[in-house]
């Protein structure tokens, strides 16, 4: 048994109270991978970690990343600095499709090596569970390869990876004049094969002009549902495509981005209890000004999660603490809501809230012991994340 004592501030969602809770001078007892007790003046144990009156929070849960790619797209970054837009670069052959050829050619073991390094960095930034999408293969063989790579790294890494199939990330070049042909391939071949492979839990679609329209999105997500893949959605990112409405109709677990969501879309999310996953890092990294309408979503009673959207094109940020800073500054979230969105609600968007996302009895001991005394310092320090110790499943996986 392990005890964390001398905790200064413990900040976590509390399911009993149904809200965020800030407690002082409490202790946590861990047995194997679970928190078995949390409270004051607990029994003594053989192993003790002295938290030195510092802050303790749950490990971060990042519910939206695209980490299986071969290389950076730094050239596109330079083009954007010269004034070209992401949409424009994608139309002239860059964007998602420029990552596809490399991934198709890549050796599985090289991809595993690269993904493992990216997971090391996520973990060292305090992320203990991360959703990982495929979506740079865009044919059956390479999508299955990407999911296999996720599964392989997950089996050898301390971080927990939650696999999502995203064959509907873009239309591959060979189908550029036959979009419906690619949708048929997704529905008739890729989704059944992905289900048979048995790795992916979710099925995600980029519903946006130039990618997949409403009808195609519906078809792909319904086909996934038939095979047990739960729908998530990239919705209303660059334009209002009414995709939040579709997310509601199809009872997707989450609709992500939502920079351009309409009032009608917000209503559909609220009525169907779809989580809104907001990705302020993408707006920031693309140098745009339109952040998602957090206040309207919150006022409508929609649950809000935060994620990095880590990918080589539109957001290279891996740090959830930095995303929290952006959420406070640009979405105008209050700090406790931003922590809740990065831990409890994000675990809910992965359907894992019974096991992770808060520090409570019976939950996994995924815990960050910070080298700061107050939760307000997480966003305040912006690009400096002083973490003393990270526990994953009750085991120390990072110390500084
Ligand atoms: Zn994305």
């Amino acid at each position: 048994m392990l005890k964390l004592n001398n905790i200064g501030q413990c900040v976590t969602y509390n399911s009993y109270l149904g809200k965020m809770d800030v407690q002082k001078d409490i202790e946590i007892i861990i047995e194997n991978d679970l928190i078995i007790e949390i409270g004051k003046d607990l029994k003594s144990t053989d192993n003790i970690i002295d938290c030195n009156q510092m802050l303790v929070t749950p490990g971060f849960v990042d519910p939206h990343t695209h980490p299986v790619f071969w290389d950076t797209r730094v050239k596109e970054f330079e083009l954007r600095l010269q004034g070209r837009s992401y949409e424009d670069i994608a139309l002239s052959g860059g964007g998602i499709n420029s990552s596809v050829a490399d991934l198709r050619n890549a050796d599985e073991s090289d991809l595993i090596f690269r993904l493992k390094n990216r997971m090391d960095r996520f973990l060292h930034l305090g992320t203990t569970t991360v959703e990982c999408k495929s979506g740079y293969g865009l044919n059956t063989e390479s999508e299955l390869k990407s999911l296999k790579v996720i599964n392989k790294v997950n089996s050898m890494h301390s971080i927990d990876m939650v696999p999502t199939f995203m064959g509907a990330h873009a239309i591959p070049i060979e189908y550029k004049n036959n979009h419906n042909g690619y949708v048929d391939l997704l529905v008739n071949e890729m989704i059944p094969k992905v289900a048979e492979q048995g790795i992916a839990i979710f099925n995600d679609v980029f519903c946006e002009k130039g990618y997949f329209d409403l009808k195609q999105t519906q078809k792909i997500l319904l086909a996934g549902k038939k095979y047990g893949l739960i729908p998530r959605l990239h919705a209303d990112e660059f334009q209002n495509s009414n995709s939040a409405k579709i997310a509601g109709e199809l009872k997707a677990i989450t609709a992500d981005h939502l920079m351009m969501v309409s009032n009608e879309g917000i209503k559909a999310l609220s009525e169907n209890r779809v989580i809104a996953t907001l990705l302020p890092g993408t707006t920031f990294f693309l140098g745009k000004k339109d952040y998602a309408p957090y206040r309207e979503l919150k006022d409508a009673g929609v649950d809000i999660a935060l994620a990095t959207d880590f990918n080589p094109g539109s957001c290279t940020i891996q740090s959830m603490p930095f995303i929290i800073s952006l959420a406070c500054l640009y979405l105008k979230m209050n700090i406790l809501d931003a922590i809740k969105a990065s831990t409890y609600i994000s675990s809910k968007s992965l359907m894992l809230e019974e096991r992770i996302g808060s520090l409570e009895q019976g939950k996994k001991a995924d815990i960050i012991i910070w080298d700061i005394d107050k939760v307000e310092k997480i966003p305040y320090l912006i690009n400096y994340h002083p973490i003393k110790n990270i526990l994953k499943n009750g085991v120390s996986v990072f110390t500084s």
Side-chain angles (χ1 to χ4, degrees), residues 227-290:
Y227 284 92
L229 298 169
I230 298 149
R232 341 174 51 86
L233 207 54
H234 283 58
D236 302 327
E237 178 177 358
F238 299 127
Q239 293 185 8
N240 170 29
S241 333
N242 267 326
S243 33
K245 248 185 98 190
I246 285 280
E249 278 167 31
L250 291 174
K251 304 259 185 283
I253 184 85
T254 171
D256 300 16
H257 285 294
L258 301 168
M259 280 91 109
M260 298 295 160
V261 68
S262 64
N263 289 336
E264 212 186 340
I266 293 175
K267 202 166 155 242
L269 296 178
S270 162
E271 282 171 3
N272 294 288
R273 309 199 66 75
V274 180
I275 294 167
T277 299
L278 305 186
L279 312 162
T282 314
T283 307
F284 181 80
F285 187 81
L286 291 177
K288 296 196 171 196
K289 292 199 168 54
D290 297 305

Side-chain angles (χ1 to χ4, degrees), residues 195-207:
E196 190 187 307
Q197 186 191 36
I199 293 171
I201 294 166
F202 298 100
N203 181 27
D204 199 338
V205 178
F206 194 177
C207 183

Side-chain angles (χ1 to χ4, degrees), residues 310-345:
F310 172 65
N311 76 81
S314 61
C315 186
T316 57
I317 299 165
Q318 284 187 262
S319 159
M320 285 302 281
F322 183 61
I323 294 296
I324 289 170
S325 297
L326 294 178
C328 294
L329 287 168
Y330 296 110
L331 302 177
K332 311 292 176 202
M333 283 179 97
N334 79 47
I335 295 168
L336 288 185
D337 277 349
I339 302 286
K340 180 181 170 190
S342 315
T343 54
Y344 181 71
I345 304 296

Side-chain angles (χ1 to χ4, degrees), residues 64 66 133 234 257 309:
H64 184 138
H66 305 258
K133 302 179 201 293
H234 283 58
H257 285 294
D309 193 23

